[in-house]
Amino acid sequence: MHHWLMKSEPDEFSFQELERKGQEPWTGVRNYQARNFMRAAKVGDLVLFYHSNCEEPGIVGVARISKEAFDDPTQFEPKSDYYDAKSTKDDPRWSCVEVSFHQAFKRLVSLPDLRACAALKDMLILRPGNRLSVTPVTAAEFKAIAGLGGIRK
DNA sequence: GCCAACGTTGGC
DNA sequence: GCCAACGTTGGC
């Protein structure tokens, strides 16, 4: 089992919205590295849900991979923001996974919280200029963050 | 709204 | 295949 961290702008799609809907296809990722991480994700993998570009950036809870990588439908939709004219059905460029709500944190784990935790000093997300929207997280990092969020994993 | 970091594009 | 220009991300 792998662990992941996925970023979302709450104005676009928030953790609360995931809780309400139950599950959501994670479409619109247009970065090859992030895409490759999604292709490696398996059903049941746990996902740290990160709110970015907002008042209080940080991790708000845990989601779960509920469907493994499949073709991101938005790449074929000319009207979509994520349309990719260079992608064909025979050779699609972009994948997505489906994520499901799993468990909300008791408290937000903010960026300063993450930075203050010695066990997390190697996290990809904390590296300057990191912009990947999907990154792998080690089991130890996952456990430490769940602890900071007030849930036991 | 600024700006640093970084991926992508395209001319050569 | 190099690299400058450009666009995007995301914290502050």
Side-chain angles (χ1 to χ4, degrees), chain A residues 49-120:
Chain A
F49 200 106
Y50 181 95
H51 279 170
S52 67
N53 221 347
C54 55
E55 200 156 320
E56 233 187 335
I59 298 165
V60 288
V62 180
R64 191 179 150 277
I65 302 289
S66 50
K67 220 178 262 178
E68 280 163 36
F70 56 99
D71 296 346
D72 180 342
T74 62
Q75 69 193 306
F76 304 123
E77 295 165 8
K79 278 181 289 183
S80 167
D81 286 346
Y82 302 114
Y83 177 64
D84 184 345
K86 293 180 186 156
S87 190
T88 64
K89 299 235 177 185
D90 288 339
D91 187 21
R93 284 190 174 186
W94 306 112
S95 302
C96 62
V97 293
E98 184 188 79
V99 299
S100 293
F101 179 82
H102 184 70
Q103 190 176 5
F105 279 179
K106 290 210 173 69
R107 65 191 87 95
L108 172 97
V109 180
S110 71
L111 216 42
D113 293 340
L114 295 171
R115 292 193 197 282
C117 182
L120 303 175

Side-chain angles (χ1 to χ4, degrees), chain A residues 2-3 7 12 14-15 21 23 27 30 36 46 48 53 61 68 85 96 102-104 107 118 128 133 145 147:
Chain A
H2 288 97
H3 298 84
K7 286 196 269 198
E12 297 291 322
S14 70
F15 192 58
K21 293 174 80 170
Q23 71 286 316
T27 57
R30 295 292 179 269
N36 292 343
L46 295 179
L48 295 166
N53 221 347
E68 280 163 36
C96 62
H102 184 70
Q103 190 176 5
R107 65 191 87 95
S133 59
I145 292 168

